[in-house]
Amino acid sequence: WIGDRKSLVGPGSSPPTCLAKCGRCGPCEPVHVPIQPGLSLPLEYYPEAWRCKCGNKLFMP
Amino acid sequence: YSSPVYSLPHNEGRALMSIKASFSNVANVLLDWDDDHNHDFCSWRGVFCDNVSLSVAALNLSNLNLGGEISPSIGDLRNLQSIDFQGNKLTGQIPDEIGNCGLLVHLDLSDNLLYGDIPFTVSKLKQLEFLNMKNNQLTGPIPSTLTQIPNLKTLDLARNQLTGEIPRLIYWNEVLQYLGLRGNFLTGSLSSDMCQLTGLWYFDVRGNNLTGSIPDSIGNCTSFEILDISYNQISGEIPYNIGFLQVATLSLQGNRLTGKIPDVIGLMQALAVLDLSENELDGPIPPILGNLSYTGKLYLHGNKLTGPIPPELGNMSKLSYLQLNDNQLVGTIPSELGKLDQLFELNLANNYLEGPIPHNISSCTALNQFNVHGNNLNGSIPLGFQNLESLTYLNLSANNFKGRIPVELGRIVNLDTLDLSCNHFLGPVPASIGDLEHLLSLNLSNNQLVGPLPAEFGNLRSVQMIDMSFNNLSGSIPMELGLLQNIISLILNNNHFQGKIPDRLTNCFSLANLNLSYNNLSGILPPMKNFSRFEPNSFIGNPLLCGNWLGSICGPYMEK
């Protein structure tokens, strides 16, 4: 339970650990990935989400 | 169930032909849609048939520049599972008959010019998982009957002209993963029911007219990865429960949020982007925000934040954007910010900061933009700034900086904007400024600079704006300025320049704004024709200058 980011023992969050989230690929690291919500003005930043990355492949945390 | 519906193949061919007939711009792209010469519509461009039933299972006509309308005959293609008309110029209304395509799983009409209401018949598409109508001109409300689609995973209606409230029922969907409603005219408030979206990761209502406050129960939205409620009229305080969110992006900017930034946000270490800018937040920046060691973007600008910049922000080791400008921050710039070796943009403009720029800032070697405009900062420009090789934007204007402009500034070769105006800089203008070959805008006005304008300014081949006004510069205007082929504004007024205006200045064909007034220039204006485009105001206050204006030594005779 400790370290489980979905546990609701109190407020707060942490990035995903990405343990065993990249299949057989390693190392599997959490990264920020921009999510493009369609046509966006160039000055607007994209929202970002966490994904697990191994090499150039992304996996859901 | 999803068993195919019986429909005669020749009827489908006919339906496709009438779909083609209501499109325009089909000449080249749908050449093979021709049942006189090719009966096998399964081979037509963009038509994909089911292997067994040989009826149309998918229509992919995306990005073909198609105009015209979507024919009601689309409803005759009863076995369609996927329609992709994205990225065309389709206009008119979405036909009600689309609701007859009962096996549709994927419907993408985005990036077109469709108008009118979203047909209620869409709710008959019980197999639908993906519905994208973003970037059209759809009006009217979001049909609450959309909630009758049991497997809908993606609903993207962004950038239309939809009005009314977000139907509450839409929130009672455990399957929905993506809700994109940004850029409409939606009203009403956020409902606490929104956290019933237990499978949702993307919630985006940016840029609508939503009012009311953030529901206290927001912390229950634990599946959300992105929460974007920016650019609405949301008021009230940021609730404590926001700290229970697991989001990577929290975008609350451009609302009317009041009160303090809750400390609990400092515990949200999953935050990659935290944007609370352009609200009415007051109180200090909580030092605990320094705990956000995975956050890359922190925007708190445009609020009423008071107190100092917490040195703890120097612990946000992944930070690339830090914007604290347009607040009421006091105290000095903490030297701890020098630890932010990934910092790309630092904007502290328009606060009440004082003291010098700490030397450590020169350690932020990734720095691209540095803006401290409009504070009470003093001291001189740290020599270490020459190491900031990535810097493109440097704005120290409207402070109390003094001392000489360091020669070493000429080494920041990527600068496109250098603004040191409205300070107390003195001494000569270093010739090395001429090495900044990418410079677009140079503003050294309103200082106490002396000596000549370096001839090396002629090397600023990209420059569009030079403002040296209100200094004590002297000597003649270098003829090398005639080399500046991109210059639009040349502002040299209120100095002590003397001698003749160089004829070569007439080679600056893009020059639209010239101000040489209030100097000691003499001689006659360059006689070239294109120089007459400048009004007398560009030259007044030079008693020995001869030109065609009232009061000039050789000007028109003054009538009584």
Side-chain angles (χ1 to χ4, degrees):
Chain A
W1 270 83
I2 292 167
D4 182 353
R5 62 191 290 256
K6 301 285 181 189
S7 71
L8 293 178
V9 289
S13 60
S14 51
T17 57
C18 287
L19 282 173
K21 294 291 183 182
C22 300
R24 290 182 190 168
C25 187
C28 187
E29 308 276 351
V31 291
H32 300 167
V33 174
I35 305 293
Q36 187 178 349
L39 279 180
S40 194
L41 295 171
L43 290 177
E44 278 178 22
Y45 62 82
Y46 296 131
E48 294 176 16
W50 287 99
R51 296 290 180 264
C52 298
K53 188 176 185 183
C54 180
N56 54 9
K57 283 190 176 166
L58 294 174
F59 300 86
M60 292 301 288
Chain B
Y1 74 100
S2 63
S3 60
V5 181
Y6 179 73
S7 67
L8 289 170
H10 68 267
N11 286 346
E12 297 213 329
R14 202 181 298 152
L16 288 168
M17 287 309 290
S18 71
I19 288 170
K20 175 181 175 178
S22 69
F23 286 155
S24 58
N25 301 336
V26 290
N28 294 317
V29 291
L30 299 184
L31 215 56
D32 59 355
W33 286 40
D34 178 357
D35 58 0
D36 286 337
H37 300 97
N38 181 1
H39 296 282
D40 179 16
F41 57 78
C42 293
S43 70
W44 292 355
R45 181 177 193 168
V47 179
F48 301 89
C49 292
D50 183 88
N51 282 339
V52 181
S53 67
L54 294 181
S55 78
V56 182
L59 266 184
N60 182 354
L61 301 176
S62 61
N63 298 306
L64 294 180
N65 207 27
L66 294 169
E69 304 192 5
I70 302 172
S71 163
S73 302
I74 194 96
D76 297 337
L77 302 172
R78 298 295 175 93
N79 292 317
L80 265 182
Q81 291 166 40
S82 172
I83 296 176
D84 186 353
F85 290 168
Q86 180 246 120
N88 286 290
K89 291 173 178 164
L90 297 174
T91 179
Q93 304 200 27
I94 301 168
D96 286 341
E97 287 78 359
I98 209 157
N100 296 337
C101 306
L103 302 182
L104 265 186
V105 176
H106 184 103
L107 176 55
D108 191 344
L109 305 178
S110 61
D111 303 318
N112 280 289
L113 305 166
L114 299 166
Y115 56 77
D117 286 7
I118 298 171
F120 279 82
T121 55
V122 170
S123 56
K124 285 159 59 183
L125 305 172
K126 299 300 182 202
Q127 309 294 326
L128 202 60
E129 295 180 11
F130 180 94
L131 176 57
N132 189 349
M133 297 181 173
K134 76 178 175 205
N135 291 320
N136 280 288
Q137 294 156 14
L138 300 170
T139 50
I142 300 172
S144 61
T145 52
L146 286 182
T147 59
Q148 296 164 9
I149 306 174
N151 292 315
L152 195 61
K153 292 190 173 79
T154 296
L155 176 60
D156 198 344
L157 305 176
R159 297 190 196 279
N160 280 287
Q161 294 152 30
L162 301 171
T163 51
E165 301 199 6
I166 301 168
R168 272 196 182 204
L169 277 175
I170 233 168
Y171 297 137
W172 291 80
N173 181 337
E174 294 175 0
V175 185
L176 197 64
Q177 297 174 356
Y178 186 107
L179 180 61
L181 301 177
R182 73 160 57 192
N184 283 288
F185 303 121
L186 300 170
T187 51
S189 55
L190 291 169
S191 161
S192 55
D193 291 355
M194 64 192 271
C195 296
Q196 300 300 328
L197 292 163
T198 51
L200 194 91
W201 67 272
Y202 184 90
F203 186 96
D204 181 3
V205 294
R206 178 191 185 104
N208 281 285
N209 297 323
L210 300 177
T211 51
S213 55
I214 301 173
D216 258 336
S217 56
I218 189 79
N220 295 334
C221 298
T222 49
S223 67
F224 290 16
E225 291 182 50
I226 288 164
L227 175 61
D228 191 341
I229 61 175
S230 61
Y231 301 106
N232 281 284
Q233 288 120 49
I234 310 252
S235 54
E237 300 199 0
I238 301 174
Y240 171 83
N241 284 344
I242 208 150
F244 289 91
L245 288 174
Q246 308 289 312
V247 289
T249 297
L250 181 59
S251 286
L252 308 182
Q253 72 270 26
N255 281 292
R256 296 173 186 167
L257 296 168
T258 51
K260 294 184 167 60
I261 298 173
D263 280 345
V264 72
I265 289 183
L267 302 179
M268 300 171 70
Q269 287 212 300
L271 280 175
V273 179
L274 174 60
D275 196 338
L276 307 179
S277 64
E278 295 174 52
N279 278 290
E280 295 161 28
L281 299 168
D282 56 28
I285 298 173
I288 194 176
L289 291 190
N291 269 13
L292 299 174
S293 46
Y294 302 97
T295 303
K297 296 172 181 169
L298 176 60
Y299 302 105
L300 303 178
H301 56 276
N303 280 290
K304 299 171 178 172
L305 299 172
T306 53
I309 300 173
E312 287 83 352
L313 297 190
N315 299 331
M316 301 179 69
S317 54
K318 292 287 192 306
L319 208 56
S320 55
Y321 289 83
L322 178 58
Q323 298 194 1
L324 306 178
N325 49 295
D326 296 280
N327 279 293
Q328 296 156 25
L329 301 171
V330 297
T332 57
I333 301 174
S335 61
E336 285 81 355
L337 296 187
K339 291 189 286 182
L340 301 173
D341 59 2
Q342 296 183 26
L343 198 61
F344 183 86
E345 177 171 356
L346 178 59
N347 193 340
L348 306 176
N350 296 316
N351 281 290
Y352 304 122
L353 300 170
E354 55 193 24
I357 298 173
H359 289 273
N360 308 31
I361 294 292
S362 321
S363 312
C364 302
T365 47
L367 207 57
N368 193 281
Q369 303 195 35
F370 181 78
N371 189 352
V372 292
H373 165 87
N375 282 284
N376 300 319
L377 297 167
N378 56 34
S380 52
I381 300 177
L383 276 183
F385 264 41
Q386 62 180 297
N387 302 324
L388 298 176
E389 288 171 6
S390 306
L391 209 57
T392 65
Y393 182 96
L394 177 58
N395 190 342
L396 308 182
S397 61
N399 279 286
N400 298 318
F401 289 114
K402 56 183 193 301
R404 293 176 168 233
I405 297 174
V407 175
E408 291 81 358
L409 271 193
R411 297 195 194 154
I412 315 178
V413 288
N414 292 312
L415 274 185
D416 63 43
T417 301
L418 176 60
D419 191 344
L420 307 180
S421 64
C422 301
N423 280 290
H424 309 299
F425 289 113
L426 39 81
V429 180
S432 63
I433 299 286
D435 297 338
L436 300 173
E437 58 178 337
H438 299 295
L439 210 55
L440 300 175
S441 173
L442 172 65
N443 193 343
L444 305 181
S445 67
N446 289 281
N447 281 290
Q448 288 132 42
L449 302 170
V450 296
L453 200 58
E456 287 80 357
F457 273 31
N459 300 332
L460 298 170
R461 62 181 100 160
S462 310
V463 79
Q464 298 176 348
M465 203 282 291
I466 295 178
D467 188 348
M468 307 295 293
S469 62
F470 296 96
N471 278 290
N472 298 316
L473 299 170
S474 56
S476 56
I477 296 174
M479 63 181 180
E480 286 81 358
L481 293 187
L483 297 168
L484 304 177
Q485 289 304 295
N486 294 302
I487 193 151
I488 297 166
S489 283
L490 178 62
I491 315 295
L492 303 177
N493 59 286
N494 294 82
N495 280 289
H496 310 302
F497 289 116
Q498 59 202 37
K500 202 171 169 292
I501 298 173
D503 284 352
R504 291 217 202 152
L505 220 47
T506 60
N507 294 339
C508 302
F509 291 109
S510 49
L511 190 61
N513 187 11
L514 175 69
N515 196 343
L516 304 178
S517 64
Y518 300 100
N519 279 290
N520 297 320
L521 297 167
S522 56
I524 54 170
L525 288 192
M528 290 70 171
K529 211 176 171 188
N530 67 16
F531 224 69
S532 61
R533 68 187 183 274
F534 301 115
E535 299 285 320
N537 278 344
S538 298
F539 308 106
I540 55 166
N542 290 284
L544 301 177
L545 194 60
C546 168
N548 186 28
W549 58 83
L550 285 175
S552 164
I553 48 169
C554 57
Y557 174 72
M558 208 181 300
E559 302 269 351
K560 272 193 182 172

